[in-house]
Amino acid sequence: MSAELLATLSIFLLALLVGFEVIGKVPATLHTPLMSATNAIHGVILVGAMLVASVADTAADYALGFVVAAFAAMNVVGGYVVTDRMLGMFQPPSKAVSEASKR
């Protein structure tokens, strides 16, 4: 095992442990807003996938780039959908709903 691989694996393991510890301390009421925002921020992954796909040489590279870009796009769209849905829960009720409840 090379020193570079060992250093990379060590950084990955430390990031995994720190991430687990940070997420474990988040109250349940904040988990969904944080995760939806994080998914939306993952647009960086989509840009990275497109950059990697732009230098593809073989058909397998193109296919892998397409799959990664598709999953990244789904992640970004899902993040925005969940965020929009969550923000909708905090809006005041519409007029039609409030008038129907008066009857």
Side-chain angles (χ1 to χ4, degrees):
M1 187 180 299
S2 72
E4 184 180 346
L5 179 61
L6 186 60
T8 303
L9 287 175
S10 298
I11 292 170
F12 177 73
L13 182 62
L14 287 172
L16 183 72
L17 292 173
V18 168
F20 182 77
E21 193 65 28
V22 168
I23 294 297
K25 304 283 188 218
V26 173
T29 55
L30 291 178
H31 189 265
T32 300
L34 287 175
M35 290 307 295
S36 64
T38 303
N39 285 343
I41 291 169
H42 279 148
V44 173
I45 294 173
L46 181 58
V47 172
M50 290 188 292
L51 287 173
V52 168
S54 69
V55 296
D57 294 330
T58 65
D61 291 343
Y62 282 115
L64 184 61
F66 174 77
V67 169
V68 171
F71 278 124
M74 287 186 283
N75 195 15
V76 170
V77 170
Y80 281 119
V81 168
V82 170
T83 302
D84 184 53
R85 188 172 177 189
M86 180 196 60
L87 291 174
M89 294 175 4
F90 296 105
Q91 292 179 348
S94 67
K95 228 178 193 182
V97 173
S98 63
E99 288 176 7
S101 64
K102 289 180 183 178
R103 294 179 190 172

